[in-house]
Amino acid sequence: QVQLVESGGGVVQPGRSLRLSCAASGFSFSNYGMHWARQAPGKGLEWVAVISFDGNKKYYADSVKGRFTISRDNSMNTLYLQMDSLRGEDTAMYFCASSAVEFLTGSYLGYWGQGALVTVSS
Amino acid sequence: DIQMTQSPSTLSASVGDRVTITCRASQSIDNWLAWYQQKPGKAPKVLIYKAATLESGVPSRFSGSGSGPEFTLTISSLQPDDFATYYCQQYDSSPYTFGQGTKLEIK
């Protein structure tokens, strides 16, 4: 069955960096666009970034543009989110999710991981 | 960027009730709209995509309708398992914004 497992979360000081990983299994990872979304404690969902199936297209929310970088390694079935210059407002549960439609970057989110918690605090 | 406005923010209802949640897009998104259900401590789960298509395995009491700019999610007869938070999301153009959510509570 499809599994998406996030890792790399933790507590980090403001201004520092953190890299999240999302290990995928149970589907043809290299055929699907992949997304990151986040949810601050007690708040709603916020879409963060997407990368196309081949890694050639990347789009970001305005709130993270220039600070976060999405990437993927199709040989390792792994998605990444490099988060630099972290701020308190980046504190959230970060979910990776797959596009629901093969080869489409702009798609609804089909499968989701269980999330990795990132806390930005001094 | 496209803004998605959901209403109401909170909805109190009883088992067996018919409920409707509304989502309005700030500009045209054709029918590129999805609805998700999220329970506390869990990842969201897709219910409806392309505004009105039921995801496989989702009970038929859930339905979606509408076209830009206003969309609705209807639950025809609430079941105990349906008390959760619901989100709409547009996937017409990046950033693929979510609505702010509707918490469905037991009356």
Side-chain angles (χ1 to χ4, degrees):
Chain A
Q1 74 280 20
V2 172
Q3 275 201 307
L4 295 170
V5 180
E6 301 92 339
S7 61
V11 180
V12 61
Q13 293 178 327
R16 303 298 290 265
S17 299
L18 202 63
R19 188 176 84 158
L20 300 181
S21 300
C22 171
S25 60
F27 69 109
S28 299
F29 178 77
S30 60
N31 290 355
Y32 288 84
M34 294 295 297
H35 302 248
W36 288 99
R38 69 184 181 182
Q39 187 168 38
K43 302 297 184 183
L45 295 168
E46 180 186 13
W47 179 85
V48 172
V50 64
I51 186 168
S52 60
F53 70 98
D54 56 3
N56 286 340
K57 289 184 282 189
K58 304 175 185 181
Y59 302 106
Y60 298 91
D62 290 345
S63 57
V64 306
K65 203 174 293 181
R67 300 188 299 121
F68 289 13
T69 304
I70 190 171
S71 63
R72 65 190 297 159
D73 184 338
N74 284 347
S75 68
M76 299 285 290
N77 287 352
T78 303
L79 173 73
Y80 302 100
L81 185 67
Q82 177 68 39
M83 303 183 291
D84 299 325
S85 304
L86 282 161
R87 306 167 180 166
E89 54 265 36
D90 296 318
T91 294
M93 183 70 77
Y94 284 75
F95 297 98
C96 68
S98 65
S99 286
V101 182
E102 272 187 307
F103 307 116
L104 264 190
T105 304
S107 165
Y108 66 99
L109 307 184
Y111 294 105
W112 294 66
Q114 285 307 300
L117 183 61
V118 173
T119 302
V120 183
S121 174
S122 53
Chain B
D1 296 357
I2 299 173
Q3 310 302 318
M4 304 302 293
T5 303
Q6 246 181 276
S7 61
S9 298
T10 307
L11 181 56
S12 296
S14 302
V15 172
D17 284 353
R18 177 185 180 91
V19 298
T20 298
I21 299 168
T22 298
C23 185
R24 175 175 284 268
S26 63
Q27 61 192 74
S28 173
I29 58 169
D30 288 332
N31 288 329
W32 304 118
L33 184 102
W35 290 97
Y36 302 86
Q37 177 193 68
Q38 187 181 32
K39 295 182 178 178
K42 299 293 187 181
K45 166 190 161 184
V46 62
L47 301 173
I48 302 279
Y49 62 93
K50 209 172 178 186
T53 303
L54 196 67
E55 175 77 352
S56 175
V58 173
S60 58
R61 63 181 179 273
F62 291 92
S63 63
S65 64
S67 57
E70 191 162 289
F71 301 87
T72 58
L73 172 70
T74 299
I75 310 172
S76 60
S77 178
L78 274 174
Q79 299 301 302
D81 191 50
D82 301 337
F83 291 94
T85 301
Y86 293 84
Y87 296 92
C88 62
Q89 184 202 22
Q90 66 82 17
Y91 53 100
D92 177 74
S93 61
S94 176
Y96 301 120
T97 39
F98 288 95
Q100 70 270 38
T102 295
K103 185 175 182 179
L104 182 51
E105 298 180 329
I106 301 174
K107 187 184 285 184

